[in-house]
Amino acid sequence: MFSLKKLLLIITAFCLFLCGCKNETEIKPYLENINFTVHSIFGNTEYILNGFCSEDGRVELSVQSPAEMENIKFCLVEDTVKIYYLDLEKEILLKNFEENSVLKIVFTGFIEAFKCGSLYFEDNNYIMDFEVDAIDYRMYYSQSGLPLKISSQN
C-alpha cells in the first residue's frame, strides 16, 4: 500500500523528470556594454578592430591594425554610420556601404541581434541568422549570450 509520503515522492520525481526534458533553453543576445574584437583578412592584409556595444544600441569600431589606419573610428547609431578620422567626421547610411563589406556585415549583425527575441540552439551553438546583400550569415553566441563570431553560410 502506498503511503502519502511515497506518492508525493513519486509525483515530485516525475515533475523533476518532465522539467529536465525540455529541449530548448531560451537564450537572448547579451549586448549591453560589451567590448569585442573583429579580425578580418582582405587580400594579404589583416584588419583588427576593437569594438564596443552600448545598451542603447550604439556600436563603435576603432581600427587597431594596420597601423596606417589606426585613427579611424566608426560609430553606428540606428541606420547611420559616423566615420571619424582625426578632426574629420562623415556620416553614411549603412545601406550605402560597399556590398558585403566587413563593416556592413558586423553592424547589420548587431542591429539584428538587438531586434532578436531569442537565439536558437543547433550543433552545440547558440545562433542567430541574418542576411546582408543576399548572402546569409550566422552569428554565434556563448551560453551566456555573448557574441562570439560571424560566418558566411553561402
Side-chain angles (χ1 to χ4, degrees):
M1 178 176 218
F2 278 103
S3 69
L4 185 57
K5 225 182 216 185
K6 284 184 183 178
L7 184 58
L8 287 174
L9 182 63
I10 291 171
I11 291 171
T12 303
F14 184 70
C15 288
L16 288 173
F17 173 75
L18 289 178
C19 291
C21 289
K22 186 177 181 185
N23 288 337
E24 294 182 20
T25 301
E26 186 171 301
I27 298 287
K28 295 183 181 204
Y30 183 80
L31 305 170
E32 296 178 5
N33 298 320
I34 62 166
N35 294 300
F36 59 94
T37 304
V38 175
H39 293 268
S40 179
I41 297 175
F42 185 74
N44 293 327
T45 306
E46 179 181 19
Y47 295 90
I48 300 173
L49 297 95
N50 289 335
F52 174 75
C53 186
S54 69
E55 60 190 48
D56 63 356
R58 190 181 78 252
V59 181
E60 298 175 2
L61 293 172
S62 300
V63 179
Q64 295 303 297
S65 176
E68 56 271 11
M69 297 178 68
E70 253 178 19
N71 295 315
I72 299 174
K73 180 179 174 183
F74 304 91
C75 183
L76 173 72
V77 179
E78 295 178 9
D79 63 347
T80 302
V81 178
K82 290 184 180 181
I83 304 168
Y84 302 94
Y85 179 70
L86 302 174
D87 293 334
L88 303 173
E89 181 181 325
K90 173 88 174 156
E91 285 189 13
I92 301 175
L93 289 174
L94 184 59
K95 68 179 183 176
N96 293 336
F97 268 68
E98 188 172 325
E99 197 170 283
N100 292 309
S101 71
V102 171
L103 291 172
K104 191 173 188 179
I105 294 164
V106 171
F107 284 142
T108 302
F110 275 96
I111 288 170
E112 293 301 316
F114 272 104
K115 292 192 275 183
C116 178
S118 63
L119 307 170
Y120 67 92
F121 190 76
E122 180 180 289
D123 297 328
N124 294 320
N125 292 297
Y126 289 96
I127 298 168
M128 178 201 69
D129 295 321
F130 64 99
E131 184 181 301
V132 177
D133 299 323
I135 295 180
D136 295 324
Y137 291 91
R138 182 166 275 186
M139 197 164 186
Y140 294 87
Y141 294 83
S142 70
Q143 291 183 352
S144 62
L146 291 170
L148 298 173
K149 70 177 183 174
I150 296 174
S151 67
S152 169
Q153 298 301 299
N154 299 356

